[in-house]
Amino acid sequence: ANGNARTGEYGANALYYLSLITRFDPSAKSSSGQSVKDAALIQLRSLIKGGNEPFACTGCYWSHAVVASSFVLIKNTPELYNELTDEEKARMDTLMGALAIAGNWGYNDLNNYKTGPDLLGNFGKSYNPNYRNTYLSVVLSASMYFGADELDKIFTGFDYDEYMKKLET
């Protein structure tokens, strides 16, 4: 990750891998001598700067689960998390919240929406088991990231218009 970050599925996997290495060995270096921690931060910052983040919508988006797992790992790795600015931490919180809302929107048994939060899809949560599988781990990661009580507050305090405004900002 020589200063360039990739997005999408490969970028999500790279973020997870680099963060995992940093978790176990914060001083790890690549074969070229680059700090793995620095590479993880480059990847993360690319993801949360805006325009590269997953669009937090229901469906079989496998990379969303990897991003959510990476955020839990980063938040619990002081060598990474303490390097972030308050704004970057807030961006992580917003993105994790958006992923959790997408999971709740589409898979909460009390909801039976016919579209995702973006209002663009022809969605039914019973269409394909892959839809349910991909977001179960996202919601579980969100619970570990925020804590169960805080995540419950995010779900019960959800306001669609406020949510969309925050994401657009």
Side-chain angles (χ1 to χ4, degrees):
N2 55 11
N4 297 317
R6 296 185 66 182
T7 58
E9 181 181 346
Y10 295 118
N13 289 334
L15 176 62
Y16 186 82
Y17 180 69
L18 295 167
S19 300
L20 185 63
I21 291 170
T22 302
R23 174 77 177 165
F24 288 103
D25 184 1
S27 63
K29 305 254 185 239
S30 71
S31 59
S32 66
Q34 182 184 20
S35 163
V36 174
K37 178 183 91 170
D38 290 346
L41 290 167
I42 289 168
Q43 194 71 23
L44 173 65
R45 288 178 170 132
S46 175
L47 176 71
I48 62 174
K49 73 178 179 180
N52 291 334
E53 68 273 35
F55 53 89
C57 188
T58 51
C60 49
Y61 303 109
W62 300 106
S63 63
H64 295 189
V66 180
V67 168
S69 297
S70 297
F71 281 10
V72 171
L73 188 58
I74 290 164
K75 191 171 184 179
N76 289 286
T77 304
E79 292 82 4
L80 291 170
Y81 196 70
N82 293 342
E83 292 286 323
L84 302 176
T85 66
D86 289 342
E87 180 184 347
E88 290 169 331
K89 291 174 183 177
R91 286 177 175 266
M92 275 181 57
D93 290 351
T94 298
L95 182 52
M96 182 61 99
L99 291 168
I101 288 293
N104 188 50
W105 176 285
Y107 308 113
N108 183 322
D109 286 340
L110 299 178
N111 298 337
N112 193 21
Y113 294 100
K114 300 300 180 194
T115 185
D118 60 0
L119 304 180
L120 297 176
N122 178 16
F123 174 78
K125 67 182 176 183
S126 63
Y127 284 7
N128 185 324
N130 286 338
Y131 283 117
R132 295 180 79 85
N133 290 342
T134 58
Y135 260 82
L136 175 61
S137 60
V138 170
V139 175
L140 291 172
S141 290
S143 182
M144 290 186 286
Y145 183 90
F146 292 114
D149 292 339
E150 184 63 28
L151 183 59
D152 189 52
K153 289 177 189 173
I154 290 170
F155 289 155
T156 58
F158 175 73
D159 176 278
Y160 183 81
D161 292 331
E162 183 180 311
Y163 167 80
M164 293 309 287
K165 184 178 178 182
K166 185 174 185 177
L167 292 179
E168 288 172 9
T169 300

